[in-house]
Amino acid sequence: AGKLDLPISVFLILVWYTYGILFVAPYPGFTFTNSDGRVATIYSPSEKIPTLQQDDVLVQIGPVTWESYKRDARVLLFEGIQPGEIVQITVIRNGETLTIPWKFSGFDPTEFKTRFLNIWGLAFIFWFFGTAAQLLIRPKDGHQRLFIAANYLTALWLIFGSLSSFQLWESSILLHAVTWLLLPIYLHLHWVFPRPLKELPKTVWTIIYLIGSAVAAAEILQILPKSLYALAFLAALLGSIVLEGAHYIRQADQRRDVSLLATSIFVAFFPAIIFGILVAAGTAPIFAPVTLFSLPFMPLAYFYVIYRRQSGGLEVRLNRLISLYSFLIFFGTVLFSLIVPIVSLDI
């Protein structure tokens, strides 16, 4: 039973934060971009005039200013507001400051559907791969432990990130902290997998993990710039790609596995990059987050490489599954990239 303590604990955290995303986070009747407070979608237009409009920039909601909300990740919006209450929302529209009497709608079926069909489900896929590795992969060595840690931490990163815009239950702070824990795990995994580039003293990795843990603790204390954690995630991603490139160059006998791993990183994140570009361009449709469902391709490929020697007759079927998944991701991304500009044409 002891070996199930970790997967059960992570699973319960995922379930609890999923409950927060779907039922506890406020349903104000509109959504906004967390980066700049711009109103993105209006689900429940107020009966009063004036009302909120798309592209309004939030300045203050009730007693909470947007500045204080962004400065302190423990500040909540709409705290204690009941459905039907009027909230005074100050916005900037076309350079003019307006105060809008907004009716707080409460639970909205359309907004619930948007939240339900979103990326939080990916967290459970990464949890599945971590648990499968813990139960099925032998021997229980450093590779297995790093793969498990990478999947569980990625699962937590996804679930905290899905709730972080509401800053509920320390989600934004935990997102930042987990990112700094992911950085050394990802770099260590790609240094030693599929075979170590070079044997390093344990002291080196101990220092790296201590630094990551110290920065994560600083995130909890909110003493770092708010956007710094994004650099940690970028470093984890780029560092992983560079290290796999080093494996490919220096370990010719491992190139089959390394090619698959490097491809998995690209396939996993290429659609997400397309999604990010569309968001930045303001042309991403509501279903754009489905592009992020390519992310599990990376743990699938890694699990395959680790588990292949134990798979026996399953290897052919695993090869077919990975090939099919890869094809569907690329086909879906290309189709998605073509359709969005076409449907956006004003004709």
Side-chain angles (χ1 to χ4, degrees), residues 40 70 72 74 98 130 134 203 215 221 249 258 263 322 333 338:
K70 294 300 293 182
D72 186 351
R74 292 185 172 92
L98 304 172
Q134 189 167 347
T203 306
V215 182
L221 297 174
I249 294 171
V258 171
T263 301
I322 289 176
T333 302
L338 293 174

Side-chain angles (χ1 to χ4, degrees), residues 159-181:
I159 204 70
F160 294 148
S162 297
L163 190 59
S164 63
S165 63
F166 299 99
Q167 302 189 167
L168 186 66
W169 299 339
E170 307 280 306
S171 55
S172 180
I173 291 173
L174 290 172
L175 168 67
H176 292 200
V178 166
T179 305
W180 288 104
L181 297 179

Side-chain angles (χ1 to χ4, degrees), residues 1 31 107 115:
T31 62
F107 183 84
R115 291 190 192 182

Side-chain angles (χ1 to χ4, degrees), residues 133-210:
Q134 189 167 347
L135 296 177
L136 299 177
I137 290 178
R138 299 292 184 275
K140 294 185 176 182
D141 56 10
H143 288 168
Q144 185 218 32
R145 289 190 292 271
L146 283 169
F147 182 73
I148 292 170
N151 278 279
Y152 285 158
L153 283 174
T154 303
L156 294 174
W157 184 82
L158 285 164
I159 204 70
F160 294 148
S162 297
L163 190 59
S164 63
S165 63
F166 299 99
Q167 302 189 167
L168 186 66
W169 299 339
E170 307 280 306
S171 55
S172 180
I173 291 173
L174 290 172
L175 168 67
H176 292 200
V178 166
T179 305
W180 288 104
L181 297 179
L182 271 176
L183 176 58
I185 290 289
Y186 271 44
L187 295 182
H188 194 179
L189 174 64
H190 291 92
W191 179 271
V192 303
F193 190 76
R195 194 176 66 208
L197 286 170
K198 182 180 180 182
E199 292 294 339
L200 295 178
K202 290 184 177 179
T203 306
V204 173
W205 290 114
T206 299
I207 293 174
I208 292 174
Y209 280 108
L210 286 175

Side-chain angles (χ1 to χ4, degrees), residues 26-100:
Y27 283 82
F30 68 95
T31 62
F32 55 86
T33 55
N34 196 51
S35 58
D36 58 4
R38 191 173 299 274
V39 175
T41 307
I42 300 176
Y43 293 101
S44 304
S46 176
E47 298 174 357
K48 293 182 174 294
I49 300 296
T51 186
L52 286 177
Q53 297 180 8
Q54 285 187 340
D55 292 327
D56 285 348
V57 179
L58 298 174
V59 176
Q60 183 167 336
I61 297 177
V64 181
T65 65
W66 180 256
E67 182 182 351
S68 64
Y69 177 71
K70 294 300 293 182
R71 184 175 59 250
D72 186 351
R74 292 185 172 92
V75 170
L76 303 178
L77 297 176
F78 305 104
E79 188 173 16
I81 303 297
Q82 300 301 316
E85 288 188 26
I86 300 299
V87 184
Q88 300 298 323
I89 300 180
T90 303
V91 300
I92 296 176
R93 180 186 303 164
N94 299 324
E96 183 181 358
T97 301
L98 304 172
T99 298
I100 310 296

Side-chain angles (χ1 to χ4, degrees), residues 18 21-22 27 111-121:
T18 299
I21 293 166
L22 299 178
Y27 283 82
E111 186 174 358
F112 174 81
K113 185 185 297 185
T114 301
R115 291 190 192 182
F116 185 78
L117 301 174
N118 219 300
I119 65 170
W120 57 266

